[in-house]
Amino acid sequence: MSEKLTPFFTVIITTYNRIDYLKEAVESVICQTFESWILHVVDNSSSDGTQQFLEDLSRDNAKIKFSTINNNGIIASSRNFGIKNACTRAISFLDDDDIWYRCKLENDYKILSKREGIVYSK
């Protein structure tokens, strides 16, 4: 993927004080077979080391960015913040306590590249 091309997916992970889960979720995005993505982690002002983890991660990987907000734990506000800052054709949400199979984004892309719509997966 060329650095000048806009990624197809923005992956949005919202989190609050769940760094151990978050690390696994982020790793499952990094390991995707489909590589045209940017990851945006929206942290709700965690106090468990999440901030430092995200600073280190984003410094080492240009495809990963993060924002720190304070919205009193309203997850929808965090997701909406991520959506407002996305500039890709598709958005995919990943909860901080979930992980993806390696081909999740590839499978979603195959569906979405044929027609616009919503892809739901278990």
Side-chain angles (χ1 to χ4, degrees), residues 26-58:
V26 167
E27 186 63 24
S28 78
V29 175
I30 292 170
C31 291
Q32 289 296 297
T33 56
F34 186 80
E35 297 180 356
S36 184
W37 54 262
I38 185 167
L39 172 61
H40 185 182
V41 180
V42 182
D43 176 37
N44 192 11
S45 301
S46 295
S47 60
D48 65 347
T50 295
Q51 181 83 21
Q52 187 62 53
F53 167 69
L54 293 172
E55 286 175 9
D56 294 344
L57 193 63
S58 64

Side-chain angles (χ1 to χ4, degrees), residues 9 12 32 50 70 75-76 79 81 90 98 101-102 109-110 113:
F9 287 99
I12 299 170
Q32 289 296 297
T50 295
N70 189 346
I75 195 166
R79 286 187 176 141
F81 180 87
D98 288 339
Y101 289 112
R102 288 180 39 95
Y109 176 77
K110 288 176 184 176
S113 64

Side-chain angles (χ1 to χ4, degrees), residues 3-100:
E3 294 289 326
K4 295 180 182 181
L5 295 178
T6 300
F8 188 83
F9 287 99
T10 295
V11 178
I12 299 170
I13 300 176
T14 61
T15 192
Y16 176 69
N17 281 342
R18 298 187 346 155
I19 190 170
D20 292 331
Y21 291 121
L22 177 63
K23 287 178 180 180
E24 292 183 55
V26 167
E27 186 63 24
S28 78
V29 175
I30 292 170
C31 291
Q32 289 296 297
T33 56
F34 186 80
E35 297 180 356
S36 184
W37 54 262
I38 185 167
L39 172 61
H40 185 182
V41 180
V42 182
D43 176 37
N44 192 11
S45 301
S46 295
S47 60
D48 65 347
T50 295
Q51 181 83 21
Q52 187 62 53
F53 167 69
L54 293 172
E55 286 175 9
D56 294 344
L57 193 63
S58 64
R59 183 175 36 252
D60 295 339
N61 189 331
K63 293 172 68 169
I64 300 173
K65 67 178 188 171
F66 74 97
S67 300
T68 303
I69 64 173
N70 189 346
N71 63 18
N72 299 315
I74 303 170
I75 195 166
S77 294
S78 297
R79 286 187 176 141
N80 287 337
F81 180 87
I83 291 168
K84 287 177 187 173
N85 288 282
C87 60
T88 55
R89 286 194 53 205
I91 295 171
S92 189
F93 295 106
L94 175 59
D95 291 339
D96 64 356
D97 63 347
D98 288 339
I99 57 173
W100 283 344

